[in-house]
């Protein structure tokens, strides 16, 4: 769920623009949640860090997406870390300032609440995938989920995602070796086309059949 660009002005009025270079940390897990962010340009990675220092990518967000939803609650802490994937431009705004614009624009309020609902749905999907799917189902589900619609901002076009095996592994909490092995099997069966930093889904129905087992 993306925020329509015509609504960006409300965020600008409620906050300020801020830029980050690639790989810069926007905020860290366990920091105080004070601001909501809207991506204006570029992409950011949302991830969680385990006590052992392991990282698992939860989502990559692009233009029109908001993050930092924990700031809706007073005295809350960030549950995740967010960093810039490439050079990004964001609008950072305090929720209290954004609230007053909800009275002016029902479309803005609806868009934000739809985004929050979408975030809840995504978390449910991640939990289901983590606890109920085996490695084949996890990777099949990820490929289907990522390619269900084109997203030029993410570089997802024609059922193709611009992900390396290592990036897929980070998103799923699997080892790169496991991801490479499964993707090789999928490629040999003709389910996907596996290229350098690109994975194209060819047989969606075959991947969907794996989810029904």
């Amino acid at each position: 769920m993306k925020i329509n660009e015509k609504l960006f002005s409300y965020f600008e009025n409620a906050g300020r623009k801020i830029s980050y270079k690639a790989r810069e940390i926007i905020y860290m897990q366990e920091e105080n949640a004070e601001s909501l962010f809207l991506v204006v340009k570029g992409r950011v990675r949302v991830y969680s860090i385990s006590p052992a220092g392991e990282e698992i990518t939860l989502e990559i967000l692009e233009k029109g997406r908001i993050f930092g939803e924990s700031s809706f609650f007073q005295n809350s802490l960030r549950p995740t870390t967010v960093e810039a994937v490439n050079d990004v431009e964001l609008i950072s705004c305090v929720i209290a300032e954004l609230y007053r614009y909800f009275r002016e624009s029902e479309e803005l309020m609806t868009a934000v609440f739809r985004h929050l609902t979408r975030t809840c749905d995504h978390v449910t999907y991640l939990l289901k995938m983590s606890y109920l799917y085996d490695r084949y189902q996890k990777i099949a589900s990820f490929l289907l989920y990522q390619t269900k619609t084109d997203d030029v901002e993410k570089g997802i076009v024609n059922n193709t995602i611009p992900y390396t095996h290592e990036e897929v592994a980070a998103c799923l909490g699997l080892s790169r070796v496991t991801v490479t092995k499964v993707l090789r099997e999928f490629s040999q069966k003709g389910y996907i086309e596996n290229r350098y930093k690109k994975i194209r889904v060819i047989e969606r129905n075959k991947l969907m059949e794996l989810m029904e087992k």
Side-chain angles (χ1 to χ4, degrees), residues 134-148:
D134 63 25
R135 62 186 183 279
Y136 293 97
Q137 292 172 318
K138 284 181 179 180
I139 295 173
S141 175
F142 178 81
L143 295 176
L144 290 169
Y145 185 81
Q146 293 294 327
T147 60
K148 62 182 178 180

Side-chain angles (χ1 to χ4, degrees), residues 101-138:
Y101 292 104
F102 284 178
R103 303 189 195 99
E104 293 183 19
S105 174
E106 183 178 334
E107 185 178 2
L108 171 67
M109 181 173 63
T110 300
V112 170
F113 285 138
R114 282 180 176 170
H115 178 88
L116 293 175
T117 300
R118 187 263 175 203
T119 299
C120 290
D121 290 344
H122 183 67
V123 171
T124 300
Y125 159 75
L126 291 176
L127 288 171
K128 181 179 179 181
M129 183 171 61
S130 296
Y131 289 99
L132 301 180
Y133 293 169
D134 63 25
R135 62 186 183 279
Y136 293 97
Q137 292 172 318
K138 284 181 179 180

Side-chain angles (χ1 to χ4, degrees), residues 9-207:
S9 59
Y10 290 110
F11 290 86
E12 291 174 358
N13 293 337
R16 62 190 179 91
K17 285 189 176 181
I18 186 168
S19 298
Y20 290 87
K21 296 293 185 181
R23 305 292 294 177
E24 274 194 277
I25 297 294
I26 296 165
Y27 60 70
M28 288 290 294
Q29 198 169 308
E30 301 300 325
E31 285 184 3
N32 290 328
E34 298 175 346
S35 300
L36 183 74
F37 296 86
L38 170 69
V39 182
V40 176
K41 178 183 177 183
R43 294 182 294 159
V44 302
R45 179 171 75 106
V46 182
Y47 62 97
S48 182
I49 306 173
S50 74
E54 297 176 339
E55 297 178 2
I56 180 167
T57 299
L58 303 176
E59 198 165 10
I60 304 293
L61 305 179
E62 69 289 345
K63 180 179 178 181
R65 297 292 298 280
I66 59 177
F67 63 94
E69 298 93 335
S70 51
S71 58
F72 276 96
F73 303 97
Q74 288 187 333
N75 304 316
S76 62
L77 300 177
R78 301 292 190 191
T80 57
T81 296
V82 181
E83 72 173 14
V85 174
N86 48 15
D87 290 351
V88 300
E89 185 177 304
L90 310 171
I91 299 175
S92 170
C93 57
V94 177
I95 293 297
E97 293 296 318
L98 188 62
Y99 278 154
R100 34 193 206 108
Y101 292 104
F102 284 178
R103 303 189 195 99
E104 293 183 19
S105 174
E106 183 178 334
E107 185 178 2
L108 171 67
M109 181 173 63
T110 300
V112 170
F113 285 138
R114 282 180 176 170
H115 178 88
L116 293 175
T117 300
R118 187 263 175 203
T119 299
C120 290
D121 290 344
H122 183 67
V123 171
T124 300
Y125 159 75
L126 291 176
L127 288 171
K128 181 179 179 181
M129 183 171 61
S130 296
Y131 289 99
L132 301 180
Y133 293 169
D134 63 25
R135 62 186 183 279
Y136 293 97
Q137 292 172 318
K138 284 181 179 180
I139 295 173
S141 175
F142 178 81
L143 295 176
L144 290 169
Y145 185 81
Q146 293 294 327
T147 60
K148 62 182 178 180
T149 56
D150 283 356
D151 193 327
V152 177
E153 293 288 339
K154 277 188 175 181
I156 299 174
V157 181
N158 297 326
N159 291 313
T160 303
I161 60 172
Y163 281 57
T164 64
H165 294 189
E166 187 172 355
E167 288 169 334
V168 174
C171 289
L172 297 176
L174 298 172
S175 71
R176 184 189 61 78
V177 173
T178 296
V179 169
T180 297
K181 180 180 177 181
V182 172
L183 289 177
R184 184 182 298 121
E185 289 184 39
F186 285 175
S187 180
Q188 290 171 346
K189 293 178 179 178
Y191 299 171
I192 65 169
E193 184 178 34
N194 198 8
R195 298 179 180 176
Y196 178 67
K197 290 188 177 181
K198 285 189 178 181
I199 304 168
R200 184 167 74 91
V201 174
I202 299 174
E203 294 287 349
R204 296 187 68 84
N205 288 339
K206 293 296 184 181
L207 294 178

